[in-house]
Amino acid sequence: MDLSIICRLVGIGLSSNRKRRVTTMTTKEGEQPGVFNSTESQSSESLAQGINKTDHVFQMLLRQVHAALETYSNVHRGSGHYSMVTTHLFEKARDVVLDHLHLPRRNTVLLFCTKRRAEALFKQLKPSDYQCISSEDIGLALGVTAAAVNKKALRRCAVTETGGGTTRLISPKSITWAAVPDRFEAGTPAVINIIAFAVALRLIRQFGTIVFSDLTAHQSEIVDILYRDDLEDFTGLELLNRLRQTLIGQGVLVPTAMGDRRHVNLDNSASTPTFLPIWNAVQQTWRLQKSMHEKIVCEVKSVIADTIGAPSDVFELLFTSNTTEAVNLAAENFGRELEEGVEPLVLSTILEHSSNDLPWRMLPGVSLLRLPVDEDGFVDLNELDAFLCKYNKECLHGNKRIKIVTVSGASNVLGVFTPIEEIGRIVHRHGARFLVDGAQLVAHRAVNLQHLGIDYFVFSAHKVYAPFGCGVLAVKKDLLRFTPRELKSIRSSGEMNVGGIAALGKALILLKRIGLDVIQEEEQTLTARMLRGLSKIPGLEIYGIRDPDSPRFSKKGGVIVFNLKGSMGSRTAKQLACQAGIGVRYGCHCSHMLVKHILHVGPTLQRFQHMIVTLFPKLLLPGVVRVSFGIENSEEDVDRCVVALQNIALKSQSVMGETADGTPEPKLLLPNADVKQRMNDFVEAAVQRVYAS
Ligand SMILES: Cc1ncc(COP(=O)(O)O)c(C=O)c1O
């Protein structure tokens, strides 16, 4: 049977990647696709000014990383220009490293990971099966390890960490793993650091051996890096407005069917862009002498402790590369707590991101149970209580005990904030531990671990405007079960990425100075405006809380998911990019069980989808289009998105022959094929700027 017929039968679309032209690194002469701010390479200037070679090359590195930041978005599955650019930059980094190591692509897979994750993988391999190079080797404090592994040997390896990106599809009982290398790169990679590492390797190739730790001493004080900036006299909304002006990539124009337009990023739940004061902190930290690294790590720990209410005498703070690694660590630590004679259970919900599901599911000797959620994404607290009571108090299930309850603080799909305080109280009443996945929480609402009764807390810096590959696990000290040796290895792996740690510290300080209450108000205003606008679009179905006047609206953050009747969501997302320069995301957002729940995909269809995805891995599953706000967004962004969706809906309905009111179809300036070509040219030009040397 024809593939497209199968797709329609099971409600699956063909991945646009399948059709996408593979772009090369060359830009056609005289062509200027898209418009960037001017940060052109000034390669020979600084050398002529007598700056030493390492400093000169370091400045080039900074300029090229800045170029990557201008069009930053999360890799894979995003639909906008920025996601295309960043995915190309990231994948190109693999080629750069393989070239550096003089290894063939044919039989080698290049994985990016942390030192710790690499070590776990290497334990399964023969020394002849892999080669490894890290950012430390060239004197850069990025915390990036690149492992080049023989393809055949890698196929025999078990995944050591699981979570977002490692699977194609999950259901309560089955997992379809992603292909390599994704299967071994759990969670959001440290994209910018990886690009920086690849750029540095190319610069080394051009300029000869350079050790970036040999920079001319130019030491900043820790206090200057973290606390001083051009905006230090401002707070609250005024600071927020001024910070918006410093968005890296502000003013980048992208090609659309309407001509070149300012890019609008509505994909903040996937990853957030950054701002000049945060980038400045990173640049200063990358220059710091190694002897200062410990000081900055220590100071940022105290910033985090203060921000999330996790005092250092009660909580241990461990740096990771992302939330996923932090959940894996928490699960590993929890696995050591198990008692003889007790069958341990982990209780979570169907709302969870796969990074807060798979690590528990894969934990040996432990079973995972999931509570349902209602259509808005809320757990029934009475049901939670009754559940815990049955297992832990009334002991109705033999020696099975719920030992830990693990929930998202905020959903990356429905945008709702979970009632953590109430859940924490119930969980502790029944003697269980409590983990909160704060990936979607920290940038949006204030948290205090002590007040909320949280035992384990995890989050990622790249969702807090610090996209430099840093994550955090906060765990109560008395629950730590790692040996001192293991702790040393965990710390040394996480703390290598000093720049990422400083970025996180700086971002948290700025958010605090703005005030989470101010951010919350702005976010609610944008969300209400968007919901009102979307509610007027015929054929557009919003999932979850959709009425800004309902009592539940105060529990909703800036994440809205929807579908347009008669159009595959992947197409809607692509159209938003092509027609209006808006970057959103489409799919299951690594929350397969929740998306199936809101789309009412029953078990039989789910089984069929598993079969289809196994046979045709490039197929896209039915999902939802997601817009998600960050602090850089404005009412103008919302209105642009609403108008674009109105136009898309009008067009898809007129195609279906349903437009009855005779509204004229919007006129697009350029045909689809031209826009696609210009988008590809834009991507090529952006890639060229970053890997210019
Ligand atoms: C709720 C939630 N948890 C966990 C994660 C995983 O975060 P990371 O990819 O940074 O590890 C995400 C990322 O989208 C998320 O939204």
Side-chain angles (χ1 to χ4, degrees):
M1 203 188 318
D2 178 13
L3 203 57
S4 60
I5 300 177
I6 300 174
C7 300
R8 260 188 279 150
L9 280 176
V10 287
I12 288 174
L14 269 177
S15 158
S16 55
N17 291 340
R18 195 165 173 266
K19 296 175 233 158
R20 191 181 299 154
R21 188 171 68 93
V22 177
T23 53
T24 61
M25 286 284 292
T26 50
T27 316
K28 287 178 201 140
E29 222 184 306
E31 203 174 79
Q32 199 210 352
V35 185
F36 296 100
N37 287 336
S38 169
T39 53
E40 290 309 311
S41 166
Q42 302 147 12
S43 48
S44 51
E45 268 170 37
S46 44
L47 266 186
Q49 287 160 8
I51 297 177
N52 85 27
K53 185 170 95 175
T54 310
D55 285 33
H56 163 73
V57 174
F58 182 68
Q59 281 174 20
M60 289 180 75
L61 173 70
L62 294 182
R63 273 199 296 277
Q64 287 167 236
V65 176
H66 184 275
L69 285 170
E70 284 188 331
T71 48
Y72 173 73
S73 170
N74 207 341
V75 288
H76 311 311
R77 294 176 291 273
S79 56
H81 300 67
Y82 284 15
S83 182
M84 282 169 73
V85 171
T86 308
T87 303
H88 274 71
L89 289 172
F90 177 64
E91 293 302 331
K92 172 90 191 148
R94 296 189 206 275
D95 292 344
V96 172
V97 178
L98 285 176
D99 282 347
H100 184 87
L101 296 172
H102 304 292
L103 287 171
R105 283 164 195 69
R106 212 173 353 99
N107 54 2
T108 318
V109 179
L110 199 285
L111 303 172
F112 289 111
C113 47
T114 54
K115 183 171 164 244
R116 203 172 160 264
R117 203 181 277 176
E119 282 168 0
L121 182 67
F122 295 161
K123 278 189 194 146
Q124 304 183 54
L125 293 163
K126 291 198 290 266
S128 56
D129 285 334
Y130 65 87
Q131 274 192 50
C132 172
I133 178 169
S134 80
S135 48
E136 304 302 296
D137 298 337
I138 55 170
L140 279 174
L142 300 169
V144 174
T145 296
V149 186
N150 176 282
K151 242 183 219 168
K152 268 197 198 145
L154 187 63
R155 261 188 232 129
R156 291 192 293 271
C157 291
V159 282
T160 51
E161 279 185 14
T162 53
T166 59
T167 59
R168 280 275 303 134
L169 180 60
I170 63 172
S171 66
K173 291 204 175 111
S174 65
I175 300 171
T176 311
W177 294 102
V180 291
D182 295 6
R183 196 189 311 164
F184 291 93
E185 292 178 335
T188 304
V191 179
I192 291 293
N193 292 27
I194 287 165
I195 294 168
F197 178 55
V199 169
L201 291 183
R202 280 179 72 100
L203 289 168
I204 286 172
R205 196 174 180 147
Q206 187 185 349
F207 289 91
T209 308
I210 288 161
V211 179
F212 288 94
S213 48
D214 290 347
L215 291 166
T216 313
H218 172 82
Q219 295 302 318
S220 309
E221 294 296 327
I222 303 297
V223 61
D224 291 333
I225 296 177
L226 291 177
Y227 298 99
R228 302 248 180 280
D229 54 65
D230 290 346
L231 304 177
E232 66 185 88
D233 295 336
F234 303 100
T235 56
L237 190 56
E238 183 156 14
L239 172 58
L240 177 56
N241 284 331
R242 285 174 185 269
L243 191 65
R244 283 175 175 147
Q245 303 305 315
T246 74
L247 179 75
I248 310 272
Q250 169 96 329
V252 170
L253 303 180
V254 294
T256 74
M258 307 290 197
D260 285 342
R261 303 196 72 182
R262 178 178 66 84
H263 180 265
V264 172
N265 172 41
L266 293 181
D267 194 17
N268 288 278
S269 285
S271 197
T272 46
T274 197
F275 298 90
L276 189 59
I278 298 166
W279 170 228
N280 282 342
V282 174
Q283 295 179 72
Q284 284 170 291
T285 308
W286 282 352
R287 292 196 75 105
L288 277 184
Q289 263 168 13
K290 220 168 168 189
S291 57
M292 301 283 280
H293 288 183
E294 207 181 314
K295 280 194 188 147
I296 201 142
V297 170
C298 205
E299 187 59 31
V300 173
K301 276 190 182 174
S302 83
V303 171
I304 297 171
D306 185 43
T307 308
I308 62 172
S312 61
D313 53 335
V314 183
F315 285 89
E316 180 74 36
L317 292 180
L318 298 170
F319 289 109
T320 60
S321 62
N322 50 29
T323 301
T324 306
E325 192 186 356
V327 181
N328 276 277
L329 265 184
E332 197 182 331
N333 182 68
F334 167 76
R336 313 274 176 89
E337 259 201 65
L338 309 180
E339 309 151 40
E340 284 263 314
V342 170
E343 265 188 70
L345 301 178
V346 174
L347 180 61
S348 80
T349 75
I350 65 155
L351 188 85
E352 302 315 308
H353 188 281
S354 54
S355 293
N356 192 27
D357 184 284
L358 290 168
W360 302 107
R361 203 194 280 221
M362 304 300 285
L363 196 60
V366 172
S367 306
L368 177 60
L369 303 172
R370 297 176 196 88
L371 284 172
V373 294
D374 66 19
E375 291 293 295
D376 291 340
F378 293 107
V379 171
D380 180 337
L381 295 179
N382 292 327
E383 198 176 348
L384 169 70
D385 194 31
F387 223 82
L388 280 155
C389 207
K390 264 192 257 164
Y391 280 93
N392 289 14
K393 195 169 163 198
E394 296 166 3
C395 304
L396 297 181
H397 297 275
N399 58 356
K400 291 186 176 152
R401 298 285 177 277
I402 295 171
K403 301 303 284 181
I404 187 163
V405 176
T406 174
V407 298
S408 284
S411 163
N412 62 316
V413 175
L414 292 171
V416 286
F417 293 100
T418 306
I420 318 173
E421 192 166 1
E422 289 87 331
I423 294 180
R425 245 182 267 130
I426 296 170
V427 169
H428 287 299
R429 210 167 46 233
H430 293 285
R433 313 279 184 225
F434 186 32
L435 181 145
V436 173
D437 169 357
Q440 301 291 344
L441 194 58
V442 174
H444 306 276
R445 295 289 187 276
V447 258
N448 187 305
L449 304 200
Q450 272 207 308
H451 293 170
L452 297 168
I454 297 170
D455 301 307
Y456 292 88
F457 189 75
V458 292
F459 69 99
S460 292
H462 74 92
K463 296 189 198 281
V464 192
Y465 311 99
F468 300 91
C470 171
V472 174
L473 165 64
V475 47
K476 280 215 174 123
K477 282 193 160 147
D478 58 356
L479 299 182
L480 265 181
R481 295 290 180 274
F482 290 114
T483 63
R485 194 150 167 250
E486 286 169 325
L487 266 181
K488 193 168 167 227
S489 142
I490 294 166
R491 285 196 189 107
S492 91
S493 175
E495 292 174 13
M496 274 176 174
N497 179 14
V498 194
I501 291 171
L504 173 59
K506 182 75 196 182
L508 293 178
I509 289 166
L510 285 166
L511 292 186
K512 188 173 180 196
R513 269 165 44 197
I514 293 168
L516 268 295
D517 50 338
V518 172
I519 291 170
Q520 175 173 344
E521 210 179 311
E522 290 280 295
E523 203 172 85
Q524 285 244 303
T525 306
L526 297 187
T527 309
R529 193 177 179 96
M530 180 69 104
L531 286 173
R532 291 202 170 96
L534 296 185
S535 69
K536 299 196 185 97
I537 299 178
L540 188 143
E541 183 176 4
I542 302 169
Y543 304 97
I545 297 169
R546 68 206 75 178
D547 177 8
D549 299 317
S550 74
R552 277 189 161 184
F553 182 66
S554 64
K555 306 261 181 293
K556 177 150 175 100
V559 183
I560 300 169
V561 285
F562 59 86
N563 271 322
L564 261 179
K565 197 171 145 201
S567 175
M568 274 295 285
S570 55
R571 193 171 135 79
T572 309
K574 239 341 162 237
Q575 284 172 313
L576 279 171
C578 295
Q579 298 182 12
I582 298 171
V584 299
R585 196 155 284 255
Y586 167 78
C588 295
H589 311 283
C590 294
S591 301
H592 296 259
M593 283 171 277
L594 179 65
V595 171
K596 302 279 175 288
H597 170 65
I598 59 179
L599 293 180
H600 304 293
V601 177
T604 313
L605 191 50
Q606 282 191 39
R607 274 198 296 278
F608 193 44
Q609 285 180 353
H610 266 279
M611 196 176 78
I612 291 293
V613 164
T614 313
L615 291 173
F616 307 106
K618 291 254 159 79
L619 292 181
L620 282 182
L621 292 163
V624 286
V625 183
R626 179 180 76 185
V627 300
S628 50
F629 300 118
I631 55 172
E632 79 281 11
N633 291 124
S634 62
E635 294 190 356
E636 195 193 325
D637 296 347
V638 172
D639 297 346
R640 169 114 74 97
C641 185
V642 171
V643 170
L645 282 166
Q646 270 164 355
N647 292 341
I648 293 166
L650 199 65
K651 192 109 193 216
S652 75
Q653 294 210 341
S654 64
V655 170
M656 292 164 62
E658 281 182 18
T659 309
D661 64 357
T663 322
E665 278 182 21
K667 288 273 168 292
L668 304 177
L669 288 176
L670 293 171
N672 261 349
D674 284 10
V675 182
K676 274 193 185 147
Q677 179 61 50
R678 297 191 72 223
M679 276 175 85
N680 282 337
D681 292 343
F682 174 85
V683 173
E684 278 179 23
V687 171
Q688 180 74 11
R689 270 160 44 87
V690 173
Y691 292 118
S693 54

